[in-house]
Amino acid sequence: MSYPNKFEGIAVLDHKDWKNPKKVTYDPKPFYDNDVDIKIEACGVCGSDIHCANGNWGDVKKPLVVGHEIIGRIVKLGSKCNSGLKIGDRVGVGAQVFSCLECNRCKNDNEPYCKGFVTTYGQNYPDGYNSKGGYANYVRVHEHFIVPIPENIPTHLAAPLMCGGLTVFSPLIRNGCGPGKKVGIMGIGGIGHMGVIFAKALGAEVYAISRSFSKKNDAMKLGADHFIATKEEPDWAEKYYDTLDFIVICAGSFTDIDFTNLPKIMKVGGAIRSISIPDESQKLTLKPFGLVGVSIGNSHLGSIKELKQLLQLVSDKNLKIWVETVPISEKGVQEVFDRMDKGDVRYRFTLTDFDKEFGN
């Protein structure tokens, strides 16, 4: 293979056979003046990867190289790059690789809400190229969507911050998470466990919310001050009535969430924000009275500005998320796909050893 003419990645070739990915070679997108090439060293495994790989979010163009929690080193800079990035810098890329950068939303640090939004994999750029993600040896990205990684954050811990961490951090800071606030994190999994860590680090009183008590010990170790088990505490809505200022829903499904009682534990003026995008067949059912005094909405990815704020917080407070590492290969990706499908992870995966799989 001659860099940068061809890239290599571990790809899904058929949604029906998604747990048997194959190593493929493919053309990178055209290199433009503000583009940067990154040699990938690690990539986190996000729930979105599973939804896209197995077809839950619809048919995605193949070969499908997923992965949008990318950490690597810059190896090439476009002629008009002016963001201060340098060859050799350790940098990260999250779930967005392009937007118009000209609209009101982009100019106000809301790039994820731009109508020109392009995801890191499986979506077409304006020139028609279908984006390819981080289960690969290289990725080519516009400089705006690349962030430097602080030296004291280990690569395998930095990767999950790029999407999962940012996705829960954004609604926390946009809704005033901090001292004096009582904040609930609902769903103590890959993203939710990071939500507990970040909410506590921001100074809030944290309520971990789950269906059962099975994750209580973990939640308390992560920094939660309280634990609510909605399936095992029949009186939870009365016990915590008028308590919380804000809740982030991090559960992967809405099926078991009691939206009749959940608003009851909110203070008047409180907000419930979901970062969950479940199987597209699911529907959200609410009774009108459940909205009285409470706002309910959905949050998208965070902005590049928020990602830099998150990395600074993690660096300054030396925060440690819970991550398992797996060497990347066809077998390694198959393993993480299978274990993610079973919920067998505490609480994030990062794929590593890219040099061993793809060479130097």
Side-chain angles (χ1 to χ4, degrees):
M1 187 190 75
S2 176
Y3 168 81
N5 296 324
K6 297 285 185 180
F7 290 175
E8 287 183 298
I10 309 298
V12 173
L13 303 180
D14 184 344
H15 290 308
K16 294 180 181 178
D17 193 32
W18 66 282
K19 288 187 179 179
N20 289 296
K22 301 299 179 184
K23 189 174 183 179
V24 300
T25 301
Y26 57 91
D27 293 323
K29 83 176 193 69
F31 191 92
Y32 296 113
D33 290 341
N34 290 100
D35 281 345
V36 176
D37 279 354
I38 299 168
K39 186 175 187 296
I40 300 173
E41 297 180 350
C43 187
V45 179
C46 187
S48 304
D49 299 345
I50 308 306
H51 283 301
C52 286
N54 65 19
N56 275 354
W57 287 353
D59 188 22
V60 184
K61 187 175 181 179
K62 269 71 72 179
L64 171 58
V65 180
V66 299
H68 56 208
E69 297 180 335
I70 301 166
I71 305 294
R73 300 275 176 178
I74 293 176
V75 293
K76 183 178 179 180
L77 291 166
S79 60
K80 292 185 179 178
C81 287
N82 59 7
S83 56
L85 298 170
K86 304 183 299 298
I87 300 293
D89 283 353
R90 187 176 63 137
V91 295
V93 176
Q96 181 177 10
V97 290
F98 191 79
S99 71
C100 78
L101 299 178
E102 297 293 336
C103 69
N104 182 63
R105 293 183 177 191
C106 286
K107 290 180 178 180
N108 285 280
D109 298 310
N110 283 310
E111 305 98 323
Y113 300 91
C114 173
K115 65 180 181 180
F117 175 98
V118 176
T119 58
T120 304
Y121 58 79
Q123 189 173 2
N124 287 348
Y125 280 90
D127 64 8
Y129 181 84
N130 190 259
S131 57
K132 302 291 188 289
Y135 294 13
N137 55 353
Y138 294 94
V139 67
R140 180 169 291 170
V141 184
H142 189 287
E143 63 174 333
H144 180 83
F145 297 95
I146 297 170
V147 295
I149 305 300
E151 290 185 6
N152 67 327
I153 304 179
T155 292
H156 73 290
L157 299 185
L161 303 177
M162 295 299 105
C163 175
L166 175 60
T167 301
V168 71
F169 182 72
S170 178
L172 286 173
I173 61 171
R174 290 188 183 213
N175 288 273
C177 179
K181 298 292 185 179
K182 295 183 177 182
V183 174
I185 303 295
M186 190 169 202
I188 312 303
I191 292 181
H193 99 279
M194 290 188 278
V196 172
I197 293 172
F198 302 155
K200 186 65 177 178
L202 289 168
E205 185 175 342
V206 181
Y207 291 70
I209 307 172
S210 189
R211 287 172 294 184
S212 71
F213 284 111
S214 64
K215 294 181 179 179
K216 181 177 180 180
N217 287 339
D218 283 358
M220 306 314 279
K221 290 177 183 178
L222 292 164
D225 300 289
H226 311 274
F227 193 91
I228 302 173
T230 59
K231 294 293 184 182
E232 296 185 17
E233 293 182 273
D235 63 342
W236 67 273
E238 292 301 320
K239 181 178 179 180
Y240 296 100
Y241 178 80
D242 193 34
T243 296
L244 299 185
D245 297 287
F246 179 58
I247 289 177
V248 185
I249 297 176
C250 303
S253 169
F254 290 144
T255 304
D256 292 328
I257 297 178
D258 184 355
F259 282 103
T260 298
N261 281 314
L262 192 61
K264 295 178 182 178
I265 69 174
M266 305 301 298
K267 294 179 181 177
V268 173
I272 299 172
R273 296 288 179 266
S274 171
I275 56 88
S276 175
I277 305 178
D279 187 306
E280 60 183 359
S281 65
Q282 289 195 27
K283 296 185 183 298
L284 180 61
T285 302
L286 294 171
K287 293 183 179 180
F289 281 108
L291 298 175
V292 174
V294 177
S295 68
I296 299 178
N298 213 55
S299 178
H300 203 202
L301 307 172
S303 68
I304 295 300
K305 179 181 178 180
E306 289 166 341
L307 180 52
K308 292 176 180 178
Q309 289 176 307
L310 171 60
L311 290 169
Q312 193 64 54
L313 177 73
V314 172
S315 175
D316 289 347
K317 293 186 176 289
N318 196 28
L319 304 179
K320 304 293 185 184
I321 62 175
W322 294 10
V323 176
E324 293 185 50
T325 60
V326 175
I328 191 168
S329 64
E330 291 179 359
K331 181 180 178 182
V333 174
Q334 183 181 43
E335 176 187 341
V336 297
F337 278 178
D338 185 56
R339 289 183 59 190
M340 286 281 285
D341 194 35
K342 297 175 181 175
D344 177 25
V345 57
R346 287 289 191 276
Y347 279 97
R348 298 291 285 197
F349 282 122
T350 295
L351 293 166
T352 59
D353 295 341
F354 279 62
D355 275 350
K356 291 181 182 178
E357 176 62 23
F358 298 113
N360 292 318

